[in-house]
């Protein structure tokens, strides 16, 4: 389900609940106050009470609609990568390159305030990731198809044709301070992502990579689509050929992972080796994984020493 359809469904559910409360509660109150009233009297009184409640219900529904319209962040025009990439590479400002599983754009939506249910606005995982990086003064760039002219706010979307995307990714990856691999739920790795992983390995950029997972579940229930993401993450770690990292052992730590950060440090023999920083969560019977949970996981990941920018 797309982000727009999901938000529309939430709005319809919110207004429907509001109407139900305003139209049904007065009727139930009348029954409780006068349980001996006959059926005809109940219908007549209920119609009168509901008629009085219609105008406030419509006014509140209209107000709710206006609130949703004002709160919804409008799509922005994407940038032509060929025209923007030179200025991005020439700037001294740190940036992040966001790589995604093909076909999973905007699929993961996270509530900002899970406890208030329907009235909680939601952000896509792309938006949450870009926001977490922006707190550190880092702008996030990602590529989209050349036909995509508008995109939701969050990362800066650079449109690129099929014949030029590999050159653009290679140029952006070389100078990126961070490279985030965003895994969509239930999506297998595509050849395009495999090519990007090989590019990272070949250039020795593993220590700039953070793998971000979809939510592992909600209200104590483990989501099986997270298994696919874990499988992809294990495959990615193997393809990156990380020194001194036991991938099968790390796999046990990724059962409820939200993010995995790859680091590089010097061991006691003065050799440069890799290590992993896994950020996980705990599923509870009432808990829903929202934006704040990911904010904490991504902040923990980003507190690791950032590599120096520059071409490798």
């Amino acid at each position: 389900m797309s982000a727009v359809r999901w938000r529309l469904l939430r709005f319809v559910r919110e207004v429907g609940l509001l109407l139900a409360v305003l139209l049904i509660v007065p009727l139930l109150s009348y029954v409780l106050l006068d349980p001996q009233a006959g059926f005809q009297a109940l219908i007549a009184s209920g119609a009168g009470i509901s008629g009085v409640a219609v105008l406030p219900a419509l006014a509140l529904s209209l107000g709710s609609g206006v609130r949703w319209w004002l709160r919804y962040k409008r799509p922005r025009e994407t940038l032509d990568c060929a025209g923007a990439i030179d200025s991005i590479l020439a700037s001294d400002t740190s940036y992040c390159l966001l790589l995604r599983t093909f076909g999973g754009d905007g699929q993961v939506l996270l509530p900002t305030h899970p406890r208030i249910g329907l009235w909680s606005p939601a952000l896509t995982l792309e938006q949450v990731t870009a926001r977490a990086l922006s707190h550190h003064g880092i702008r996030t760039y990602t590529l989209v198809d050349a036909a995509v002219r508008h995109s939701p706010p969050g990362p800066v979307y650079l449109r690129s044709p099929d014949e030029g995307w590999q050159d653009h990714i290679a140029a952006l990856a070389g100078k990126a301070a961070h490279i985030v691999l965003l895994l969509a739920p239930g999506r297998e790795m595509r050849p395009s992502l495999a090519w990007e992983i090989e590019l990272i390995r070949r250039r020795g950029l593993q220590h700039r990579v953070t793998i971000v997972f979809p939510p592992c579940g909600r209200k104590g229930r483990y989501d099986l689509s997270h298994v696919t993401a874990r499988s992809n993450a294990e495959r990615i770690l193997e393809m990156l050929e990380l020194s001194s990292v036991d991938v099968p052992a790390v796999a046990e730590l990724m059962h409820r992972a939200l993010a995995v950060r790859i680091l590089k440090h010097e061991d006691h023999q003065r050799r440069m080796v890799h290590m992993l920083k896994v950020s996980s969560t705990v599923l509870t019977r009432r808990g829903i994984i929202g934006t704040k949970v990911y904010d904490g996981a991504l902040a923990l990941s980003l507190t690791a020493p950032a590599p120096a920018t520059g071409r490798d």
Side-chain angles (χ1 to χ4, degrees):
M1 182 182 295
S2 68
V4 175
R5 288 180 57 193
W6 190 85
R7 288 189 173 97
L8 178 61
L9 178 61
R10 285 173 61 88
F11 168 69
V12 172
R13 289 168 59 191
E14 179 179 311
V15 172
L17 179 61
L18 191 61
L19 288 172
V21 169
L22 290 174
L23 297 178
I24 296 177
V25 168
L27 204 61
L28 294 176
S29 301
Y30 179 82
V31 173
L32 294 175
L33 291 173
D34 189 7
Q36 302 300 324
F39 182 73
Q40 295 296 333
L42 178 63
I43 294 298
S45 301
I49 295 173
S50 299
V52 173
V54 166
L55 187 59
L58 292 177
L60 287 174
S61 298
L62 179 61
S64 180
V66 171
R67 179 174 64 89
W68 274 89
W69 176 256
L70 294 176
R71 193 170 61 184
Y72 177 72
K73 295 182 178 180
R74 308 301 189 274
R76 298 183 302 190
E77 187 174 358
T78 57
L79 301 180
D80 179 24
C81 188
I85 193 169
D86 288 340
S87 60
I88 295 173
L89 297 177
S91 174
D92 293 331
T93 304
S94 298
Y95 67 86
C96 168
L97 176 61
L98 179 62
L99 306 177
R100 299 162 295 157
T101 306
F102 179 79
D105 301 351
Q107 188 176 12
V108 178
L109 290 154
L110 302 169
T112 53
H113 302 89
R115 293 186 178 181
I116 62 175
L118 296 176
W119 283 266
S120 171
L123 298 174
T124 65
L125 191 51
E126 288 90 342
Q127 291 173 326
V128 174
T129 302
R131 186 181 65 174
L133 287 156
S134 68
H135 292 161
H136 296 263
I138 300 174
R139 177 171 288 187
T140 303
Y141 296 98
T142 188
L143 260 62
V144 292
D145 188 83
V148 178
R149 294 291 173 172
H150 292 85
S151 62
V156 178
Y157 289 84
L158 305 172
R159 61 180 185 271
S160 175
D162 291 342
E163 60 273 11
W165 72 270
Q166 291 181 333
D167 292 336
H168 292 152
I169 288 291
L172 290 169
K175 196 182 176 185
H178 293 276
I179 301 174
V180 172
L181 304 179
L182 201 61
L183 303 180
R187 298 278 181 174
E188 295 291 347
M189 186 186 301
R190 298 294 183 90
S192 57
L193 183 59
W195 180 89
E196 292 165 343
I197 301 302
E198 172 59 21
L199 172 71
I200 294 171
R201 184 203 64 78
R202 190 172 64 250
R203 292 198 173 184
L205 304 176
Q206 296 95 323
H207 57 287
R208 302 184 185 183
V209 171
T210 299
I211 303 173
V212 177
F213 294 73
C216 55
R218 54 175 288 148
K219 293 187 176 180
R221 295 183 178 180
Y222 186 76
D223 194 344
L224 292 179
S225 65
H226 193 265
V227 175
T228 304
R230 284 178 55 199
S231 176
N232 286 335
E234 293 172 29
R235 183 180 172 190
I236 289 171
L237 294 175
E238 291 175 349
M239 293 172 62
L240 288 175
E241 297 181 359
L242 304 176
S243 57
S244 303
V245 172
D246 185 354
V247 175
V250 174
E252 296 298 323
L253 303 175
M254 296 194 300
H255 183 60
R256 294 184 179 89
L258 299 177
V260 174
R261 174 80 158 96
I262 302 175
L263 304 171
K264 186 168 67 173
H265 73 110
E266 191 176 86
D267 65 5
H268 63 282
Q269 296 181 356
R270 305 186 65 83
R271 296 177 304 179
M272 297 306 296
V273 296
H274 295 100
M275 61 178 293
L276 299 182
K277 192 175 190 179
V278 181
S279 300
S280 301
T281 188
V282 177
L283 291 178
T284 63
R285 295 183 63 182
R286 295 186 178 182
I288 297 176
I289 298 177
T291 59
K292 291 183 179 179
V293 178
Y294 271 91
D295 286 342
L298 293 172
L300 181 63
S301 173
L302 293 173
T303 54
T309 61
R311 294 184 182 277
D312 287 307

